[in-house]
Short mmCIF file of all heavy atoms in Angstrom, two decimals:
data_model
loop_
_atom_site.label_atom_id
_atom_site.label_comp_id
_atom_site.label_asym_id
_atom_site.label_seq_id
_atom_site.Cartn_x
_atom_site.Cartn_y
_atom_site.Cartn_z
N TYR X 86 -14.85 -26.18 26.78
CA TYR X 86 -15.36 -25.41 27.93
C TYR X 86 -16.60 -26.08 28.50
O TYR X 86 -16.82 -26.03 29.73
CB TYR X 86 -15.66 -23.98 27.51
CG TYR X 86 -16.04 -23.08 28.67
CD1 TYR X 86 -15.10 -22.76 29.64
CD2 TYR X 86 -17.32 -22.57 28.80
CE1 TYR X 86 -15.44 -21.94 30.72
CE2 TYR X 86 -17.67 -21.75 29.85
CZ TYR X 86 -16.72 -21.44 30.81
OH TYR X 86 -17.06 -20.64 31.88
N THR X 87 -17.40 -26.68 27.66
CA THR X 87 -18.57 -27.42 28.15
C THR X 87 -18.13 -28.54 29.08
O THR X 87 -18.71 -28.76 30.16
CB THR X 87 -19.39 -27.98 26.98
OG1 THR X 87 -19.84 -26.90 26.15
CG2 THR X 87 -20.59 -28.77 27.48
N ALA X 89 -15.33 -28.67 30.73
CA ALA X 89 -14.74 -28.07 31.93
C ALA X 89 -15.82 -27.65 32.93
O ALA X 89 -15.67 -27.86 34.15
CB ALA X 89 -13.90 -26.86 31.54
N ARG X 90 -16.90 -27.10 32.45
CA ARG X 90 -17.99 -26.67 33.34
C ARG X 90 -18.67 -27.87 34.00
O ARG X 90 -19.04 -27.82 35.18
CB ARG X 90 -19.01 -25.83 32.57
CG ARG X 90 -18.54 -24.41 32.28
CD ARG X 90 -19.60 -23.64 31.53
NE ARG X 90 -20.74 -23.32 32.38
CZ ARG X 90 -20.92 -22.14 33.00
NH1 ARG X 90 -20.00 -21.18 32.86
NH2 ARG X 90 -21.99 -21.92 33.74
N ALA X 93 -16.36 -29.15 36.67
CA ALA X 93 -16.34 -28.22 37.79
C ALA X 93 -17.63 -28.30 38.60
O ALA X 93 -17.61 -28.24 39.84
CB ALA X 93 -16.12 -26.80 37.28
N LEU X 97 -18.08 -28.64 42.60
CA LEU X 97 -18.68 -27.51 43.30
C LEU X 97 -19.95 -27.91 44.04
O LEU X 97 -20.22 -27.42 45.15
CB LEU X 97 -18.98 -26.38 42.31
CG LEU X 97 -17.77 -25.71 41.68
CD1 LEU X 97 -18.20 -24.68 40.64
CD2 LEU X 97 -16.89 -25.03 42.74
N ARG X 135 -11.52 -8.13 42.73
CA ARG X 135 -12.05 -7.88 41.38
C ARG X 135 -11.39 -6.68 40.73
O ARG X 135 -11.07 -6.70 39.54
CB ARG X 135 -13.56 -7.65 41.44
CG ARG X 135 -14.39 -8.91 41.56
CD ARG X 135 -15.83 -8.62 41.22
NE ARG X 135 -16.65 -9.82 41.27
CZ ARG X 135 -17.89 -9.89 40.82
NH1 ARG X 135 -18.43 -8.82 40.26
NH2 ARG X 135 -18.58 -11.00 40.89
N GLY X 139 -9.10 -6.93 37.48
CA GLY X 139 -9.81 -6.45 36.30
C GLY X 139 -11.26 -6.86 36.22
O GLY X 139 -11.92 -6.63 35.21
N GLY X 140 -11.78 -7.47 37.27
CA GLY X 140 -13.17 -7.85 37.27
C GLY X 140 -13.42 -9.16 36.55
O GLY X 140 -12.56 -9.71 35.87
N TRP X 141 -14.66 -9.69 36.69
CA TRP X 141 -15.03 -10.92 36.02
C TRP X 141 -15.75 -10.60 34.73
O TRP X 141 -16.00 -9.45 34.39
CB TRP X 141 -15.91 -11.78 36.91
CG TRP X 141 -15.34 -12.17 38.25
CD1 TRP X 141 -16.06 -12.35 39.39
CD2 TRP X 141 -13.98 -12.47 38.60
NE1 TRP X 141 -15.25 -12.74 40.43
CE2 TRP X 141 -13.96 -12.81 39.97
CE3 TRP X 141 -12.79 -12.48 37.90
CZ2 TRP X 141 -12.80 -13.17 40.65
CZ3 TRP X 141 -11.62 -12.82 38.56
CH2 TRP X 141 -11.63 -13.17 39.91
N GLY X 142 -16.14 -11.65 34.04
CA GLY X 142 -16.84 -11.47 32.77
C GLY X 142 -15.88 -11.26 31.62
O GLY X 142 -14.68 -11.52 31.73
N CYS X 143 -16.42 -10.78 30.51
CA CYS X 143 -15.61 -10.62 29.29
C CYS X 143 -14.55 -9.55 29.48
O CYS X 143 -14.83 -8.45 29.96
CB CYS X 143 -16.50 -10.27 28.11
SG CYS X 143 -15.66 -10.45 26.52
N CYS X 144 -13.33 -9.88 29.12
CA CYS X 144 -12.20 -8.99 29.33
C CYS X 144 -11.86 -8.14 28.09
O CYS X 144 -10.81 -7.51 28.03
CB CYS X 144 -10.96 -9.79 29.74
SG CYS X 144 -10.66 -11.27 28.73
N VAL X 145 -12.74 -8.11 27.11
CA VAL X 145 -12.53 -7.27 25.93
C VAL X 145 -13.87 -6.65 25.55
O VAL X 145 -14.91 -7.27 25.71
CB VAL X 145 -11.95 -8.10 24.75
CG1 VAL X 145 -12.96 -9.12 24.27
CG2 VAL X 145 -11.53 -7.20 23.61
N CYS X 182 -6.20 -11.28 26.87
CA CYS X 182 -7.57 -11.67 27.23
C CYS X 182 -7.89 -13.04 26.66
O CYS X 182 -8.41 -13.92 27.36
CB CYS X 182 -8.56 -10.63 26.71
SG CYS X 182 -10.30 -11.11 26.84
N PHE X 183 -7.57 -13.25 25.39
CA PHE X 183 -7.83 -14.54 24.76
C PHE X 183 -7.07 -15.66 25.48
O PHE X 183 -7.62 -16.73 25.75
CB PHE X 183 -7.43 -14.51 23.28
CG PHE X 183 -7.80 -15.75 22.52
CD1 PHE X 183 -8.96 -15.80 21.77
CD2 PHE X 183 -6.99 -16.88 22.56
CE1 PHE X 183 -9.32 -16.94 21.08
CE2 PHE X 183 -7.33 -18.04 21.87
CZ PHE X 183 -8.51 -18.07 21.12
N ASP X 185 -6.01 -15.71 28.59
CA ASP X 185 -6.61 -15.96 29.91
C ASP X 185 -7.88 -16.79 29.78
O ASP X 185 -8.12 -17.70 30.59
CB ASP X 185 -6.92 -14.63 30.60
CG ASP X 185 -5.66 -13.91 31.06
OD1 ASP X 185 -4.60 -14.55 31.15
OD2 ASP X 185 -5.74 -12.70 31.33
N LEU X 186 -8.70 -16.47 28.79
CA LEU X 186 -9.93 -17.22 28.59
C LEU X 186 -9.62 -18.68 28.23
O LEU X 186 -10.27 -19.60 28.74
CB LEU X 186 -10.77 -16.58 27.49
CG LEU X 186 -11.38 -15.21 27.81
CD1 LEU X 186 -12.00 -14.60 26.56
CD2 LEU X 186 -12.43 -15.33 28.91
N ASP X 187 -8.66 -18.86 27.36
CA ASP X 187 -8.27 -20.22 26.99
C ASP X 187 -7.77 -21.00 28.20
O ASP X 187 -8.00 -22.21 28.31
CB ASP X 187 -7.19 -20.17 25.91
CG ASP X 187 -6.73 -21.54 25.47
OD1 ASP X 187 -7.54 -22.28 24.86
OD2 ASP X 187 -5.57 -21.90 25.75
N GLY X 188 -7.12 -20.30 29.10
CA GLY X 188 -6.63 -20.95 30.32
C GLY X 188 -7.74 -21.45 31.22
O GLY X 188 -7.53 -22.34 32.05
N GLU X 189 -8.95 -20.87 31.06
CA GLU X 189 -10.08 -21.30 31.88
C GLU X 189 -10.48 -22.74 31.61
O GLU X 189 -11.12 -23.37 32.44
CB GLU X 189 -11.27 -20.38 31.63
CG GLU X 189 -11.23 -19.07 32.40
CD GLU X 189 -11.31 -19.30 33.90
OE1 GLU X 189 -12.37 -19.72 34.38
OE2 GLU X 189 -10.30 -19.07 34.58
N LEU X 190 -10.12 -23.27 30.46
CA LEU X 190 -10.48 -24.65 30.13
C LEU X 190 -9.87 -25.63 31.12
O LEU X 190 -10.44 -26.69 31.39
CB LEU X 190 -10.02 -24.99 28.71
CG LEU X 190 -10.59 -24.09 27.59
CD1 LEU X 190 -10.06 -24.53 26.24
CD2 LEU X 190 -12.11 -24.09 27.61
N LEU X 193 -10.69 -23.72 35.42
CA LEU X 193 -11.99 -23.87 36.07
C LEU X 193 -12.11 -25.20 36.80
O LEU X 193 -12.47 -25.23 37.99
CB LEU X 193 -13.11 -23.70 35.03
CG LEU X 193 -14.54 -23.94 35.53
CD1 LEU X 193 -14.86 -23.03 36.71
CD2 LEU X 193 -15.54 -23.72 34.40
N ARG X 196 -9.83 -25.10 39.81
CA ARG X 196 -10.34 -24.21 40.84
C ARG X 196 -11.45 -24.91 41.64
O ARG X 196 -11.51 -24.81 42.87
CB ARG X 196 -10.86 -22.94 40.18
CG ARG X 196 -11.11 -21.80 41.12
CD ARG X 196 -11.09 -20.47 40.40
NE ARG X 196 -11.95 -20.42 39.25
CZ ARG X 196 -11.53 -20.23 37.99
NH1 ARG X 196 -10.24 -20.08 37.76
NH2 ARG X 196 -12.38 -20.17 36.99
N ILE X 234 -17.36 -20.40 45.34
CA ILE X 234 -18.26 -21.26 44.57
C ILE X 234 -19.14 -20.41 43.66
O ILE X 234 -19.33 -20.73 42.48
CB ILE X 234 -19.14 -22.11 45.52
CG1 ILE X 234 -18.29 -23.17 46.22
CG2 ILE X 234 -20.29 -22.77 44.76
CD1 ILE X 234 -19.05 -23.99 47.25
N ALA X 235 -19.67 -19.33 44.21
CA ALA X 235 -20.56 -18.46 43.44
C ALA X 235 -19.84 -17.82 42.26
O ALA X 235 -20.46 -17.55 41.21
CB ALA X 235 -21.14 -17.38 44.35
N GLU X 236 -18.53 -17.57 42.40
CA GLU X 236 -17.78 -16.87 41.36
C GLU X 236 -16.82 -17.80 40.62
O GLU X 236 -15.90 -17.33 39.93
CB GLU X 236 -17.00 -15.70 41.97
CG GLU X 236 -17.91 -14.65 42.60
CD GLU X 236 -17.14 -13.43 43.08
OE1 GLU X 236 -15.89 -13.47 43.06
OE2 GLU X 236 -17.79 -12.44 43.47
N ALA X 237 -17.04 -19.08 40.73
CA ALA X 237 -16.12 -20.05 40.13
C ALA X 237 -16.03 -19.89 38.62
O ALA X 237 -14.97 -20.09 38.02
CB ALA X 237 -16.55 -21.47 40.48
N SER X 238 -17.13 -19.52 37.96
CA SER X 238 -17.13 -19.39 36.50
C SER X 238 -16.68 -18.02 36.04
O SER X 238 -16.75 -17.71 34.84
CB SER X 238 -18.52 -19.69 35.95
OG SER X 238 -19.48 -18.76 36.47
N ARG X 239 -16.24 -17.17 36.98
CA ARG X 239 -15.69 -15.84 36.67
C ARG X 239 -16.64 -14.95 35.85
O ARG X 239 -16.23 -14.24 34.95
CB ARG X 239 -14.37 -15.98 35.92
CG ARG X 239 -13.29 -16.73 36.71
CD ARG X 239 -12.88 -15.95 37.94
NE ARG X 239 -11.95 -16.66 38.79
CZ ARG X 239 -10.62 -16.59 38.71
NH1 ARG X 239 -10.08 -15.85 37.76
NH2 ARG X 239 -9.85 -17.24 39.55
N GLY X 240 -17.92 -15.04 36.16
CA GLY X 240 -18.88 -14.13 35.53
C GLY X 240 -19.56 -14.67 34.29
O GLY X 240 -20.43 -14.00 33.73
N PHE X 241 -19.19 -15.84 33.82
CA PHE X 241 -19.82 -16.42 32.63
C PHE X 241 -20.93 -17.38 33.07
O PHE X 241 -20.65 -18.46 33.60
CB PHE X 241 -18.78 -17.15 31.78
CG PHE X 241 -17.74 -16.25 31.20
CD1 PHE X 241 -16.44 -16.25 31.71
CD2 PHE X 241 -18.05 -15.39 30.16
CE1 PHE X 241 -15.47 -15.39 31.18
CE2 PHE X 241 -17.08 -14.54 29.62
CZ PHE X 241 -15.80 -14.54 30.13
N GLU X 242 -22.17 -16.96 32.84
CA GLU X 242 -23.30 -17.76 33.27
C GLU X 242 -23.53 -18.97 32.38
O GLU X 242 -24.06 -19.99 32.83
CB GLU X 242 -24.57 -16.89 33.31
CG GLU X 242 -24.49 -15.72 34.29
CD GLU X 242 -24.33 -16.17 35.73
OE1 GLU X 242 -24.83 -17.26 36.06
OE2 GLU X 242 -23.69 -15.44 36.52
N THR X 243 -23.18 -18.84 31.11
CA THR X 243 -23.41 -19.94 30.17
C THR X 243 -22.17 -20.18 29.32
O THR X 243 -21.26 -19.33 29.26
CB THR X 243 -24.59 -19.62 29.23
OG1 THR X 243 -24.25 -18.48 28.41
CG2 THR X 243 -25.86 -19.32 30.01
N VAL X 244 -22.17 -21.30 28.64
CA VAL X 244 -21.08 -21.61 27.71
C VAL X 244 -21.06 -20.61 26.57
O VAL X 244 -19.99 -20.17 26.12
CB VAL X 244 -21.23 -23.05 27.17
CG1 VAL X 244 -20.21 -23.31 26.07
CG2 VAL X 244 -21.08 -24.06 28.29
N SER X 245 -22.24 -20.23 26.09
CA SER X 245 -22.33 -19.29 24.96
C SER X 245 -21.71 -17.95 25.30
O SER X 245 -21.05 -17.33 24.46
CB SER X 245 -23.79 -19.11 24.53
OG SER X 245 -24.30 -20.32 23.99
N GLU X 246 -21.92 -17.47 26.54
CA GLU X 246 -21.32 -16.20 26.95
C GLU X 246 -19.80 -16.28 26.88
O GLU X 246 -19.14 -15.34 26.42
CB GLU X 246 -21.76 -15.84 28.36
CG GLU X 246 -23.19 -15.35 28.47
CD GLU X 246 -23.53 -14.91 29.87
OE1 GLU X 246 -22.60 -14.83 30.72
OE2 GLU X 246 -24.71 -14.64 30.15
N PHE X 247 -19.26 -17.38 27.33
CA PHE X 247 -17.81 -17.57 27.30
C PHE X 247 -17.29 -17.60 25.87
O PHE X 247 -16.31 -16.92 25.53
CB PHE X 247 -17.45 -18.86 28.02
CG PHE X 247 -15.99 -19.21 27.96
CD1 PHE X 247 -15.09 -18.67 28.86
CD2 PHE X 247 -15.51 -20.07 26.98
CE1 PHE X 247 -13.74 -18.99 28.79
CE2 PHE X 247 -14.16 -20.39 26.90
CZ PHE X 247 -13.28 -19.85 27.81
N VAL X 248 -17.94 -18.37 25.00
CA VAL X 248 -17.49 -18.51 23.62
C VAL X 248 -17.63 -17.18 22.88
O VAL X 248 -16.76 -16.82 22.07
CB VAL X 248 -18.28 -19.61 22.90
CG1 VAL X 248 -17.91 -19.68 21.42
CG2 VAL X 248 -18.02 -20.97 23.55
N ASP X 249 -18.69 -16.42 23.15
CA ASP X 249 -18.86 -15.12 22.51
C ASP X 249 -17.73 -14.17 22.89
O ASP X 249 -17.22 -13.41 22.05
CB ASP X 249 -20.20 -14.50 22.91
CG ASP X 249 -21.39 -15.19 22.25
OD1 ASP X 249 -21.16 -15.95 21.28
OD2 ASP X 249 -22.53 -15.00 22.70
N CYS X 250 -17.33 -14.20 24.15
CA CYS X 250 -16.23 -13.35 24.59
C CYS X 250 -14.93 -13.78 23.93
O CYS X 250 -14.13 -12.94 23.50
CB CYS X 250 -16.10 -13.42 26.11
SG CYS X 250 -14.77 -12.40 26.78
N LEU X 251 -14.71 -15.09 23.84
CA LEU X 251 -13.51 -15.60 23.19
C LEU X 251 -13.47 -15.16 21.73
O LEU X 251 -12.41 -14.80 21.20
CB LEU X 251 -13.49 -17.12 23.29
CG LEU X 251 -12.15 -17.81 23.02
CD1 LEU X 251 -11.13 -17.46 24.11
CD2 LEU X 251 -12.34 -19.32 22.95
N CYS X 252 -14.62 -15.17 21.09
CA CYS X 252 -14.72 -14.73 19.68
C CYS X 252 -14.38 -13.25 19.55
O CYS X 252 -13.66 -12.84 18.64
CB CYS X 252 -16.11 -15.01 19.15
SG CYS X 252 -16.36 -14.53 17.42
N LYS X 253 -14.90 -12.44 20.46
CA LYS X 253 -14.60 -11.00 20.44
C LYS X 253 -13.10 -10.75 20.57
O LYS X 253 -12.54 -9.90 19.88
CB LYS X 253 -15.34 -10.29 21.57
CG LYS X 253 -16.83 -10.08 21.33
CD LYS X 253 -17.43 -9.27 22.48
CE LYS X 253 -18.91 -9.01 22.26
NZ LYS X 253 -19.50 -8.23 23.37
N ALA X 254 -12.49 -11.49 21.48
CA ALA X 254 -11.05 -11.32 21.68
C ALA X 254 -10.27 -11.71 20.44
O ALA X 254 -9.33 -11.03 20.03
CB ALA X 254 -10.59 -12.15 22.88
#
Side-chain angles (χ1 to χ4, degrees):
Y86 186 67
T87 299
R90 284 181 71 98
L97 293 176
R135 281 196 178 191
W141 303 147
C143 194
C144 46
V145 66
C182 170
F183 186 97
D185 288 343
L186 291 171
D187 180 67
E189 279 295 292
L190 302 180
L193 175 57
R196 194 158 52 242
I234 290 176
E236 298 186 351
S238 61
R239 300 294 174 92
F241 295 106
E242 299 297 330
T243 64
V244 172
S245 293
E246 286 184 8
F247 175 85
V248 175
D249 287 345
C250 180
L251 196 66
C252 180
K253 284 184 178 180

